[in-house]
Amino acid sequence: MTSHRKALPTIRIDRCTGCGWCVAVCAPHVLSLQVLGPEAWGPKRSVLHDAAACTGCALCAVRCPFDAIRMERVDAAAIGRQ
Ligand code: SF4
Ligand code: SF4
C-alpha cells in the first residue's frame, strides 16, 4: 500500500517572536499571525491555519531567523489531501 506523506511546518511558539517573515514568504498564504490563548490581545505567533493547502516547500522554515519552524512528515490523508 502506498503511503502519501508530506512535510508540514511545526512552529515552536516558545521561539517564535511574531516577526512575520514566514508569513511573507508563504506563497499559498497558509500561515498567519494570531494571538494565542483566550484573550483578544497579546503577542502574536505564527500559526499554520490551512495545513491541507500547505505545499511543504519549507520556505518558511528556511526564512525563520529564530529557528522556530521544523518540517515534519505527516500522513497527508490525515489532513485531507492525498
Ligand atoms: S519567521 Fe519564525 S519567528 Fe518569525 S513569525 Fe515566523 S515562526 Fe515566528
Ligand atoms: S511549507 Fe511552504 S506552503 Fe507550507 S507553510 Fe511553509 S512556506 Fe507555506
Side-chain angles (χ1 to χ4, degrees), residues 59-81:
L59 282 178
C60 53
V62 172
R63 190 63 188 88
C64 178
F66 301 99
D67 196 27
I69 303 180
R70 288 272 183 274
M71 300 302 292
E72 294 186 0
R73 291 259 161 210
V74 297
D75 185 341
I79 55 168
R81 175 170 287 193

mmCIF file with all atom_site columns, all heavy atoms in Angstrom, residues 59-81:
data_model
loop_
_atom_site.group_PDB
_atom_site.id
_atom_site.type_symbol
_atom_site.label_atom_id
_atom_site.label_alt_id
_atom_site.label_comp_id
_atom_site.label_asym_id
_atom_site.label_entity_id
_atom_site.label_seq_id
_atom_site.pdbx_PDB_ins_code
_atom_site.Cartn_x
_atom_site.Cartn_y
_atom_site.Cartn_z
_atom_site.occupancy
_atom_site.B_iso_or_equiv
_atom_site.pdbx_formal_charge
_atom_site.auth_seq_id
_atom_site.auth_comp_id
_atom_site.auth_asym_id
_atom_site.auth_atom_id
_atom_site.pdbx_PDB_model_num
ATOM 1   N N   . LEU A 1 59 ? 9.943  26.865 2.668  1.00 0.00 ? 59 LEU A N   1
ATOM 2   C CA  . LEU A 1 59 ? 10.499 28.216 2.628  1.00 0.00 ? 59 LEU A CA  1
ATOM 3   C C   . LEU A 1 59 ? 10.349 28.927 3.966  1.00 0.00 ? 59 LEU A C   1
ATOM 4   O O   . LEU A 1 59 ? 11.216 29.701 4.373  1.00 0.00 ? 59 LEU A O   1
ATOM 5   C CB  . LEU A 1 59 ? 9.817  29.032 1.527  1.00 0.00 ? 59 LEU A CB  1
ATOM 6   C CG  . LEU A 1 59 ? 10.283 28.768 0.097  1.00 0.00 ? 59 LEU A CG  1
ATOM 7   C CD1 . LEU A 1 59 ? 9.487  29.617 -0.884 1.00 0.00 ? 59 LEU A CD1 1
ATOM 8   C CD2 . LEU A 1 59 ? 11.774 29.035 -0.037 1.00 0.00 ? 59 LEU A CD2 1
ATOM 9   N N   . CYS A 1 60 ? 9.256  28.667 4.637  1.00 0.00 ? 60 CYS A N   1
ATOM 10  C CA  . CYS A 1 60 ? 9.027  29.317 5.934  1.00 0.00 ? 60 CYS A CA  1
ATOM 11  C C   . CYS A 1 60 ? 10.105 28.917 6.943  1.00 0.00 ? 60 CYS A C   1
ATOM 12  O O   . CYS A 1 60 ? 10.622 29.757 7.684  1.00 0.00 ? 60 CYS A O   1
ATOM 13  C CB  . CYS A 1 60 ? 7.638  28.977 6.470  1.00 0.00 ? 60 CYS A CB  1
ATOM 14  S SG  . CYS A 1 60 ? 7.288  27.200 6.539  1.00 0.00 ? 60 CYS A SG  1
ATOM 15  N N   . ALA A 1 61 ? 10.454 27.633 6.943  1.00 0.00 ? 61 ALA A N   1
ATOM 16  C CA  . ALA A 1 61 ? 11.468 27.149 7.884  1.00 0.00 ? 61 ALA A CA  1
ATOM 17  C C   . ALA A 1 61 ? 12.834 27.726 7.558  1.00 0.00 ? 61 ALA A C   1
ATOM 18  O O   . ALA A 1 61 ? 13.608 28.077 8.456  1.00 0.00 ? 61 ALA A O   1
ATOM 19  C CB  . ALA A 1 61 ? 11.512 25.626 7.859  1.00 0.00 ? 61 ALA A CB  1
ATOM 20  N N   . VAL A 1 62 ? 13.121 27.848 6.261  1.00 0.00 ? 62 VAL A N   1
ATOM 21  C CA  . VAL A 1 62 ? 14.406 28.408 5.840  1.00 0.00 ? 62 VAL A CA  1
ATOM 22  C C   . VAL A 1 62 ? 14.487 29.886 6.215  1.00 0.00 ? 62 VAL A C   1
ATOM 23  O O   . VAL A 1 62 ? 15.523 30.378 6.646  1.00 0.00 ? 62 VAL A O   1
ATOM 24  C CB  . VAL A 1 62 ? 14.580 28.235 4.316  1.00 0.00 ? 62 VAL A CB  1
ATOM 25  C CG1 . VAL A 1 62 ? 15.799 28.984 3.816  1.00 0.00 ? 62 VAL A CG1 1
ATOM 26  C CG2 . VAL A 1 62 ? 14.684 26.752 3.967  1.00 0.00 ? 62 VAL A CG2 1
ATOM 27  N N   . ARG A 1 63 ? 13.379 30.584 6.084  1.00 0.00 ? 63 ARG A N   1
ATOM 28  C CA  . ARG A 1 63 ? 13.371 32.039 6.290  1.00 0.00 ? 63 ARG A CA  1
ATOM 29  C C   . ARG A 1 63 ? 13.343 32.443 7.758  1.00 0.00 ? 63 ARG A C   1
ATOM 30  O O   . ARG A 1 63 ? 13.799 33.534 8.098  1.00 0.00 ? 63 ARG A O   1
ATOM 31  C CB  . ARG A 1 63 ? 12.157 32.656 5.570  1.00 0.00 ? 63 ARG A CB  1
ATOM 32  C CG  . ARG A 1 63 ? 12.196 34.163 5.532  1.00 0.00 ? 63 ARG A CG  1
ATOM 33  C CD  . ARG A 1 63 ? 13.403 34.615 4.732  1.00 0.00 ? 63 ARG A CD  1
ATOM 34  N NE  . ARG A 1 63 ? 13.621 36.048 4.809  1.00 0.00 ? 63 ARG A NE  1
ATOM 35  C CZ  . ARG A 1 63 ? 14.340 36.636 5.769  1.00 0.00 ? 63 ARG A CZ  1
ATOM 36  N NH1 . ARG A 1 63 ? 14.881 35.922 6.731  1.00 0.00 ? 63 ARG A NH1 1
ATOM 37  N NH2 . ARG A 1 63 ? 14.515 37.943 5.754  1.00 0.00 ? 63 ARG A NH2 1
ATOM 38  N N   . CYS A 1 64 ? 12.831 31.610 8.604  1.00 0.00 ? 64 CYS A N   1
ATOM 39  C CA  . CYS A 1 64 ? 12.681 31.992 10.016 1.00 0.00 ? 64 CYS A CA  1
ATOM 40  C C   . CYS A 1 64 ? 14.045 32.302 10.644 1.00 0.00 ? 64 CYS A C   1
ATOM 41  O O   . CYS A 1 64 ? 14.903 31.434 10.721 1.00 0.00 ? 64 CYS A O   1
ATOM 42  C CB  . CYS A 1 64 ? 11.992 30.878 10.800 1.00 0.00 ? 64 CYS A CB  1
ATOM 43  S SG  . CYS A 1 64 ? 11.857 31.290 12.563 1.00 0.00 ? 64 CYS A SG  1
ATOM 44  N N   . PRO A 1 65 ? 14.247 33.536 11.127 1.00 0.00 ? 65 PRO A N   1
ATOM 45  C CA  . PRO A 1 65 ? 15.535 33.905 11.695 1.00 0.00 ? 65 PRO A CA  1
ATOM 46  C C   . PRO A 1 65 ? 15.752 33.327 13.088 1.00 0.00 ? 65 PRO A C   1
ATOM 47  O O   . PRO A 1 65 ? 16.846 33.432 13.631 1.00 0.00 ? 65 PRO A O   1
ATOM 48  C CB  . PRO A 1 65 ? 15.475 35.439 11.769 1.00 0.00 ? 65 PRO A CB  1
ATOM 49  C CG  . PRO A 1 65 ? 14.175 35.860 11.201 1.00 0.00 ? 65 PRO A CG  1
ATOM 50  C CD  . PRO A 1 65 ? 13.296 34.658 11.110 1.00 0.00 ? 65 PRO A CD  1
ATOM 51  N N   . PHE A 1 66 ? 14.723 32.767 13.679 1.00 0.00 ? 66 PHE A N   1
ATOM 52  C CA  . PHE A 1 66 ? 14.799 32.323 15.059 1.00 0.00 ? 66 PHE A CA  1
ATOM 53  C C   . PHE A 1 66 ? 14.712 30.809 15.213 1.00 0.00 ? 66 PHE A C   1
ATOM 54  O O   . PHE A 1 66 ? 14.499 30.299 16.317 1.00 0.00 ? 66 PHE A O   1
ATOM 55  C CB  . PHE A 1 66 ? 13.706 33.018 15.878 1.00 0.00 ? 66 PHE A CB  1
ATOM 56  C CG  . PHE A 1 66 ? 13.833 34.510 15.830 1.00 0.00 ? 66 PHE A CG  1
ATOM 57  C CD1 . PHE A 1 66 ? 13.044 35.253 14.964 1.00 0.00 ? 66 PHE A CD1 1
ATOM 58  C CD2 . PHE A 1 66 ? 14.761 35.167 16.614 1.00 0.00 ? 66 PHE A CD2 1
ATOM 59  C CE1 . PHE A 1 66 ? 13.174 36.640 14.887 1.00 0.00 ? 66 PHE A CE1 1
ATOM 60  C CE2 . PHE A 1 66 ? 14.902 36.546 16.556 1.00 0.00 ? 66 PHE A CE2 1
ATOM 61  C CZ  . PHE A 1 66 ? 14.106 37.286 15.683 1.00 0.00 ? 66 PHE A CZ  1
ATOM 62  N N   . ASP A 1 67 ? 14.846 30.103 14.099 1.00 0.00 ? 67 ASP A N   1
ATOM 63  C CA  . ASP A 1 67 ? 14.868 28.646 14.117 1.00 0.00 ? 67 ASP A CA  1
ATOM 64  C C   . ASP A 1 67 ? 13.642 28.087 14.853 1.00 0.00 ? 67 ASP A C   1
ATOM 65  O O   . ASP A 1 67 ? 13.741 27.159 15.645 1.00 0.00 ? 67 ASP A O   1
ATOM 66  C CB  . ASP A 1 67 ? 16.158 28.155 14.783 1.00 0.00 ? 67 ASP A CB  1
ATOM 67  C CG  . ASP A 1 67 ? 16.428 26.688 14.487 1.00 0.00 ? 67 ASP A CG  1
ATOM 68  O OD1 . ASP A 1 67 ? 15.964 26.208 13.434 1.00 0.00 ? 67 ASP A OD1 1
ATOM 69  O OD2 . ASP A 1 67 ? 17.088 26.027 15.302 1.00 0.00 ? 67 ASP A OD2 1
ATOM 70  N N   . ALA A 1 68 ? 12.497 28.691 14.572 1.00 0.00 ? 68 ALA A N   1
ATOM 71  C CA  . ALA A 1 68 ? 11.276 28.302 15.275 1.00 0.00 ? 68 ALA A CA  1
ATOM 72  C C   . ALA A 1 68 ? 10.427 27.298 14.487 1.00 0.00 ? 68 ALA A C   1
ATOM 73  O O   . ALA A 1 68 ? 9.429  26.810 15.008 1.00 0.00 ? 68 ALA A O   1
ATOM 74  C CB  . ALA A 1 68 ? 10.439 29.545 15.581 1.00 0.00 ? 68 ALA A CB  1
ATOM 75  N N   . ILE A 1 69 ? 10.820 27.016 13.238 1.00 0.00 ? 69 ILE A N   1
ATOM 76  C CA  . ILE A 1 69 ? 9.993  26.135 12.399 1.00 0.00 ? 69 ILE A CA  1
ATOM 77  C C   . ILE A 1 69 ? 10.771 24.889 12.016 1.00 0.00 ? 69 ILE A C   1
ATOM 78  O O   . ILE A 1 69 ? 11.894 24.970 11.530 1.00 0.00 ? 69 ILE A O   1
ATOM 79  C CB  . ILE A 1 69 ? 9.514  26.857 11.123 1.00 0.00 ? 69 ILE A CB  1
ATOM 80  C CG1 . ILE A 1 69 ? 8.732  28.122 11.488 1.00 0.00 ? 69 ILE A CG1 1
ATOM 81  C CG2 . ILE A 1 69 ? 8.667  25.930 10.267 1.00 0.00 ? 69 ILE A CG2 1
ATOM 82  C CD1 . ILE A 1 69 ? 8.220  28.903 10.287 1.00 0.00 ? 69 ILE A CD1 1
ATOM 83  N N   . ARG A 1 70 ? 10.152 23.758 12.223 1.00 0.00 ? 70 ARG A N   1
ATOM 84  C CA  . ARG A 1 70 ? 10.699 22.475 11.794 1.00 0.00 ? 70 ARG A CA  1
ATOM 85  C C   . ARG A 1 70 ? 9.711  21.823 10.834 1.00 0.00 ? 70 ARG A C   1
ATOM 86  O O   . ARG A 1 70 ? 8.503  21.877 11.054 1.00 0.00 ? 70 ARG A O   1
ATOM 87  C CB  . ARG A 1 70 ? 10.875 21.546 13.000 1.00 0.00 ? 70 ARG A CB  1
ATOM 88  C CG  . ARG A 1 70 ? 11.999 21.934 13.928 1.00 0.00 ? 70 ARG A CG  1
ATOM 89  C CD  . ARG A 1 70 ? 13.308 21.320 13.481 1.00 0.00 ? 70 ARG A CD  1
ATOM 90  N NE  . ARG A 1 70 ? 14.390 21.620 14.415 1.00 0.00 ? 70 ARG A NE  1
ATOM 91  C CZ  . ARG A 1 70 ? 15.128 22.735 14.362 1.00 0.00 ? 70 ARG A CZ  1
ATOM 92  N NH1 . ARG A 1 70 ? 14.883 23.653 13.452 1.00 0.00 ? 70 ARG A NH1 1
ATOM 93  N NH2 . ARG A 1 70 ? 16.087 22.943 15.225 1.00 0.00 ? 70 ARG A NH2 1
ATOM 94  N N   . MET A 1 71 ? 10.228 21.214 9.784  1.00 0.00 ? 71 MET A N   1
ATOM 95  C CA  . MET A 1 71 ? 9.370  20.479 8.865  1.00 0.00 ? 71 MET A CA  1
ATOM 96  C C   . MET A 1 71 ? 9.276  19.036 9.362  1.00 0.00 ? 71 MET A C   1
ATOM 97  O O   . MET A 1 71 ? 10.292 18.394 9.610  1.00 0.00 ? 71 MET A O   1
ATOM 98  C CB  . MET A 1 71 ? 9.931  20.503 7.451  1.00 0.00 ? 71 MET A CB  1
ATOM 99  C CG  . MET A 1 71 ? 10.078 21.906 6.860  1.00 0.00 ? 71 MET A CG  1
ATOM 100 S SD  . MET A 1 71 ? 8.540  22.850 6.783  1.00 0.00 ? 71 MET A SD  1
ATOM 101 C CE  . MET A 1 71 ? 7.631  21.910 5.539  1.00 0.00 ? 71 MET A CE  1
ATOM 102 N N   . GLU A 1 72 ? 8.065  18.556 9.499  1.00 0.00 ? 72 GLU A N   1
ATOM 103 C CA  . GLU A 1 72 ? 7.868  17.196 9.990  1.00 0.00 ? 72 GLU A CA  1
ATOM 104 C C   . GLU A 1 72 ? 6.930  16.441 9.064  1.00 0.00 ? 72 GLU A C   1
ATOM 105 O O   . GLU A 1 72 ? 5.906  16.971 8.625  1.00 0.00 ? 72 GLU A O   1
ATOM 106 C CB  . GLU A 1 72 ? 7.298  17.227 11.410 1.00 0.00 ? 72 GLU A CB  1
ATOM 107 C CG  . GLU A 1 72 ? 8.275  17.802 12.411 1.00 0.00 ? 72 GLU A CG  1
ATOM 108 C CD  . GLU A 1 72 ? 7.775  17.695 13.838 1.00 0.00 ? 72 GLU A CD  1
ATOM 109 O OE1 . GLU A 1 72 ? 6.659  17.170 14.036 1.00 0.00 ? 72 GLU A OE1 1
ATOM 110 O OE2 . GLU A 1 72 ? 8.489  18.145 14.742 1.00 0.00 ? 72 GLU A OE2 1
ATOM 111 N N   . ARG A 1 73 ? 7.301  15.205 8.802  1.00 0.00 ? 73 ARG A N   1
ATOM 112 C CA  . ARG A 1 73 ? 6.485  14.361 7.918  1.00 0.00 ? 73 ARG A CA  1
ATOM 113 C C   . ARG A 1 73 ? 5.186  13.969 8.605  1.00 0.00 ? 73 ARG A C   1
ATOM 114 O O   . ARG A 1 73 ? 5.167  13.574 9.756  1.00 0.00 ? 73 ARG A O   1
ATOM 115 C CB  . ARG A 1 73 ? 7.248  13.091 7.559  1.00 0.00 ? 73 ARG A CB  1
ATOM 116 C CG  . ARG A 1 73 ? 8.423  13.359 6.658  1.00 0.00 ? 73 ARG A CG  1
ATOM 117 C CD  . ARG A 1 73 ? 8.082  13.025 5.213  1.00 0.00 ? 73 ARG A CD  1
ATOM 118 N NE  . ARG A 1 73 ? 8.995  13.667 4.284  1.00 0.00 ? 73 ARG A NE  1
ATOM 119 C CZ  . ARG A 1 73 ? 8.650  14.043 3.059  1.00 0.00 ? 73 ARG A CZ  1
ATOM 120 N NH1 . ARG A 1 73 ? 7.428  13.866 2.634  1.00 0.00 ? 73 ARG A NH1 1
ATOM 121 N NH2 . ARG A 1 73 ? 9.520  14.598 2.257  1.00 0.00 ? 73 ARG A NH2 1
ATOM 122 N N   . VAL A 1 74 ? 4.096  14.092 7.859  1.00 0.00 ? 74 VAL A N   1
ATOM 123 C CA  . VAL A 1 74 ? 2.807  13.692 8.383  1.00 0.00 ? 74 VAL A CA  1
ATOM 124 C C   . VAL A 1 74 ? 2.091  12.868 7.308  1.00 0.00 ? 74 VAL A C   1
ATOM 125 O O   . VAL A 1 74 ? 2.441  12.927 6.126  1.00 0.00 ? 74 VAL A O   1
ATOM 126 C CB  . VAL A 1 74 ? 1.928  14.889 8.764  1.00 0.00 ? 74 VAL A CB  1
ATOM 127 C CG1 . VAL A 1 74 ? 2.558  15.695 9.874  1.00 0.00 ? 74 VAL A CG1 1
ATOM 128 C CG2 . VAL A 1 74 ? 1.672  15.767 7.547  1.00 0.00 ? 74 VAL A CG2 1
ATOM 129 N N   . ASP A 1 75 ? 1.108  12.132 7.709  1.00 0.00 ? 75 ASP A N   1
ATOM 130 C CA  . ASP A 1 75 ? 0.277  11.384 6.778  1.00 0.00 ? 75 ASP A CA  1
ATOM 131 C C   . ASP A 1 75 ? -0.690 12.360 6.124  1.00 0.00 ? 75 ASP A C   1
ATOM 132 O O   . ASP A 1 75 ? -1.545 12.947 6.783  1.00 0.00 ? 75 ASP A O   1
ATOM 133 C CB  . ASP A 1 75 ? -0.498 10.304 7.549  1.00 0.00 ? 75 ASP A CB  1
ATOM 134 C CG  . ASP A 1 75 ? -1.277 9.413  6.588  1.00 0.00 ? 75 ASP A CG  1
ATOM 135 O OD1 . ASP A 1 75 ? -1.515 9.827  5.437  1.00 0.00 ? 75 ASP A OD1 1
ATOM 136 O OD2 . ASP A 1 75 ? -1.625 8.302  7.006  1.00 0.00 ? 75 ASP A OD2 1
ATOM 137 N N   . ALA A 1 76 ? -0.536 12.583 4.819  1.00 0.00 ? 76 ALA A N   1
ATOM 138 C CA  . ALA A 1 76 ? -1.346 13.579 4.127  1.00 0.00 ? 76 ALA A CA  1
ATOM 139 C C   . ALA A 1 76 ? -2.836 13.264 4.186  1.00 0.00 ? 76 ALA A C   1
ATOM 140 O O   . ALA A 1 76 ? -3.678 14.145 4.188  1.00 0.00 ? 76 ALA A O   1
ATOM 141 C CB  . ALA A 1 76 ? -0.903 13.690 2.672  1.00 0.00 ? 76 ALA A CB  1
ATOM 142 N N   . ALA A 1 77 ? -3.173 11.988 4.251  1.00 0.00 ? 77 ALA A N   1
ATOM 143 C CA  . ALA A 1 77 ? -4.580 11.613 4.312  1.00 0.00 ? 77 ALA A CA  1
ATOM 144 C C   . ALA A 1 77 ? -5.232 12.158 5.586  1.00 0.00 ? 77 ALA A C   1
ATOM 145 O O   . ALA A 1 77 ? -6.413 12.495 5.598  1.00 0.00 ? 77 ALA A O   1
ATOM 146 C CB  . ALA A 1 77 ? -4.731 10.098 4.263  1.00 0.00 ? 77 ALA A CB  1
ATOM 147 N N   . ALA A 1 78 ? -4.416 12.288 6.633  1.00 0.00 ? 78 ALA A N   1
ATOM 148 C CA  . ALA A 1 78 ? -4.949 12.760 7.906  1.00 0.00 ? 78 ALA A CA  1
ATOM 149 C C   . ALA A 1 78 ? -5.323 14.224 7.881  1.00 0.00 ? 78 ALA A C   1
ATOM 150 O O   . ALA A 1 78 ? -6.087 14.699 8.697  1.00 0.00 ? 78 ALA A O   1
ATOM 151 C CB  . ALA A 1 78 ? -3.931 12.498 9.022  1.00 0.00 ? 78 ALA A CB  1
ATOM 152 N N   . ILE A 1 79 ? -4.777 14.954 6.910  1.00 0.00 ? 79 ILE A N   1
ATOM 153 C CA  . ILE A 1 79 ? -5.103 16.378 6.833  1.00 0.00 ? 79 ILE A CA  1
ATOM 154 C C   . ILE A 1 79 ? -5.933 16.693 5.602  1.00 0.00 ? 79 ILE A C   1
ATOM 155 O O   . ILE A 1 79 ? -6.065 17.823 5.190  1.00 0.00 ? 79 ILE A O   1
ATOM 156 C CB  . ILE A 1 79 ? -3.834 17.243 6.832  1.00 0.00 ? 79 ILE A CB  1
ATOM 157 C CG1 . ILE A 1 79 ? -2.880 16.828 5.703  1.00 0.00 ? 79 ILE A CG1 1
ATOM 158 C CG2 . ILE A 1 79 ? -3.135 17.175 8.177  1.00 0.00 ? 79 ILE A CG2 1
ATOM 159 C CD1 . ILE A 1 79 ? -1.762 17.798 5.472  1.00 0.00 ? 79 ILE A CD1 1
ATOM 160 N N   . GLY A 1 80 ? -6.465 15.659 4.963  1.00 0.00 ? 80 GLY A N   1
ATOM 161 C CA  . GLY A 1 80 ? -7.444 15.883 3.924  1.00 0.00 ? 80 GLY A CA  1
ATOM 162 C C   . GLY A 1 80 ? -6.906 16.034 2.528  1.00 0.00 ? 80 GLY A C   1
ATOM 163 O O   . GLY A 1 80 ? -7.614 16.441 1.622  1.00 0.00 ? 80 GLY A O   1
ATOM 164 N N   . ARG A 1 81 ? -5.621 15.726 2.321  1.00 0.00 ? 81 ARG A N   1
ATOM 165 C CA  . ARG A 1 81 ? -5.092 15.824 0.951  1.00 0.00 ? 81 ARG A CA  1
ATOM 166 C C   . ARG A 1 81 ? -4.314 14.552 0.632  1.00 0.00 ? 81 ARG A C   1
ATOM 167 O O   . ARG A 1 81 ? -3.419 14.185 1.351  1.00 0.00 ? 81 ARG A O   1
ATOM 168 C CB  . ARG A 1 81 ? -4.180 17.044 0.819  1.00 0.00 ? 81 ARG A CB  1
ATOM 169 C CG  . ARG A 1 81 ? -3.521 17.092 -0.552 1.00 0.00 ? 81 ARG A CG  1
ATOM 170 C CD  . ARG A 1 81 ? -2.838 18.388 -0.783 1.00 0.00 ? 81 ARG A CD  1
ATOM 171 N NE  . ARG A 1 81 ? -3.787 19.462 -1.007 1.00 0.00 ? 81 ARG A NE  1
ATOM 172 C CZ  . ARG A 1 81 ? -3.435 20.656 -1.479 1.00 0.00 ? 81 ARG A CZ  1
ATOM 173 N NH1 . ARG A 1 81 ? -2.205 20.906 -1.780 1.00 0.00 ? 81 ARG A NH1 1
ATOM 174 N NH2 . ARG A 1 81 ? -4.352 21.585 -1.644 1.00 0.00 ? 81 ARG A NH2 1
#
